[in-house]
Amino acid sequence: MGDTPLADRMLSPAQLSQAEPRYPLSLVFCEACSLLQISETVPPEQLYCEDYPYFSSISSELQVHSRQNVLELIDSRSLDARSQVIEIASNDGYLLRHYRAQGINVLGIDPADGPARVASEIGIKTINAFFNLDVARDLIADDIQADVIHANNVLAHVPALNDFVKGMHCLLKDDGIAVIEVPTIKPLVEQCAFDTIYHEHLCYFSIKALETLFRRHGLYICDIRSLPIHGGSVRVYLSKKQSSCHALTRMIADEQKAGLHHVGGYSRFSERVWELKDELLSLLTGLREQGKTIAAYGAAAKGSTLLNTMGIGRDLVDYVVDKNSFKQGRFMPGMHLPILPTEALTERMPDYLLLLAWNFCDEIRAQQRDYERGGGRFIVPVPKPRILDPIHDE
């Protein structure tokens, strides 16, 4: 997909005149283990710095999703005040706060200064570090092991996967359980979700690749569930004890049937990305030629990939809105679209709103009912560009 800027590097006004670092963004495939990965690894220190802009608690949908997960595990694992829950990549404490509310001991581990600081301020003890085997051993030396380990939407970000999983195995009690949520390649390919490809996401996992990775380090999938969140993910339950899992067998067979264990299964995906580009640019250009105004919603990394890969700049979209106050007043990487508060929608009333964060379409639409009531229309770019029919209040 060419040389692109770092997707989460929102620019301050002073940085607009500076050269942006760009890195090749190419997706490659391993036929030995069915792992997709990008070809260029950017040093983590450049990706997860003090200005890291992602705060999980911004999404109310994610909060509901996390709380349900926590309450289910408290019940099924009989967790109480004697239990220890650890989350790797705990961000701003979005998940652990639900355990803490039930009186359960929690510990977060996260390398991003800003989110880790926010978590500490609300009483979630957080280690500000990249998780690895050495961190796990240090915790064990302090007599800390986990009844439950969470690692949500982090596995794709890890450059040293084997060391990471070794650390999980080491930190988990013998009768404990690790619960991991990760996007997988089948919905990525089916939805043509190319915008989830960016430099923070080093790997894109098939179920087969996940099973191979975990088994190598003595962790076994005892349950696996499909989730709609983030456009299609799985929740994997890992134990140190081997057991049969019918859902795992079925999902691997489904991948095999879809051709996702061989490189040929991805040829059509590549073609569809460029077809989507032509369709979206044609739609936006046509609206502009009619004199329509267009804004975008969601200053997210996936939005950066879409804008830069498609070449969508100020000639087609005027600005981006986002709820995250940290991003407001900054500019999108590469295309330098200004990022405004969401209130700008009802103040300026653009004719159309391009949903860069299309995976939260329903949540955004519910939040922006006044915009839609005022005549605004939503454009969903993936898996096929389309203008949504307006919702009429009853």
Side-chain angles (χ1 to χ4, degrees), residues 277-317:
K277 176 181 180 178
D278 292 341
E279 292 169 1
L280 182 58
L281 290 179
S282 177
L283 173 61
L284 297 178
T285 301
L287 292 174
R288 278 298 213 195
E289 290 174 347
Q290 296 172 32
K292 303 299 184 182
T293 54
I294 306 171
Y297 191 111
K302 65 192 299 107
S304 178
T305 290
L306 187 142
L307 294 174
N308 284 284
T309 302
M310 304 275 162
I312 298 172
R314 294 288 292 271
D315 57 327
L316 294 175
V317 173

Side-chain angles (χ1 to χ4, degrees), residues 204-221:
Y204 305 81
F205 295 95
S206 64
I207 307 300
K208 178 183 175 182
L210 288 172
E211 198 272 341
T212 300
L213 172 65
F214 295 134
R215 179 177 289 272
R216 177 184 297 167
H217 301 293
L219 291 172
Y220 304 96
I221 297 176

Side-chain angles (χ1 to χ4, degrees), residues 169-355:
H169 182 276
C170 181
L171 191 57
L172 190 66
K173 292 180 181 178
D174 287 344
D175 61 349
I177 193 166
V179 184
I180 295 177
E181 293 186 13
V182 59
T184 53
I185 58 174
K186 193 166 185 286
L188 183 155
V189 170
E190 289 175 345
Q191 298 183 56
C192 198
F194 75 96
D195 52 347
T196 60
I197 302 167
Y198 46 90
H199 294 104
E200 282 180 31
H201 287 173
L202 303 174
C203 296
Y204 305 81
F205 295 95
S206 64
I207 307 300
K208 178 183 175 182
L210 288 172
E211 198 272 341
T212 300
L213 172 65
F214 295 134
R215 179 177 289 272
R216 177 184 297 167
H217 301 293
L219 291 172
Y220 304 96
I221 297 176
C222 55
D223 193 11
I224 183 168
R225 306 177 188 177
S226 297
L227 304 171
I229 198 162
H230 299 306
S233 302
V234 292
R235 179 181 294 154
V236 179
Y237 297 81
L238 298 168
S239 169
K240 290 185 176 181
K241 301 173 183 177
Q242 293 194 54
S243 61
S244 60
C245 179
H246 297 299
L248 173 65
T249 303
R250 175 178 51 79
M251 287 185 179
I252 290 177
D254 288 345
E255 287 181 345
Q256 175 72 27
K257 185 177 180 180
L260 299 180
H261 296 164
H262 304 283
V263 70
Y266 299 92
S267 298
R268 179 57 184 151
F269 169 70
S270 180
E271 294 169 359
R272 287 176 60 212
V273 171
W274 305 121
E275 291 171 0
L276 191 155
K277 176 181 180 178
D278 292 341
E279 292 169 1
L280 182 58
L281 290 179
S282 177
L283 173 61
L284 297 178
T285 301
L287 292 174
R288 278 298 213 195
E289 290 174 347
Q290 296 172 32
K292 303 299 184 182
T293 54
I294 306 171
Y297 191 111
K302 65 192 299 107
S304 178
T305 290
L306 187 142
L307 294 174
N308 284 284
T309 302
M310 304 275 162
I312 298 172
R314 294 288 292 271
D315 57 327
L316 294 175
V317 173
D318 297 314
Y319 54 88
V320 179
V321 299
D322 199 281
K323 286 178 63 180
N324 188 338
S325 60
F326 179 89
K327 298 179 182 182
Q328 295 164 7
R330 298 184 178 233
F331 295 81
M332 293 293 290
M335 290 301 162
H336 297 179
L337 298 176
I339 304 169
L340 307 180
T342 54
E343 289 76 15
L345 292 179
T346 49
E347 293 169 0
R348 304 188 182 194
M349 283 304 299
D351 297 309
Y352 292 88
L353 187 62
L354 176 64
L355 293 182

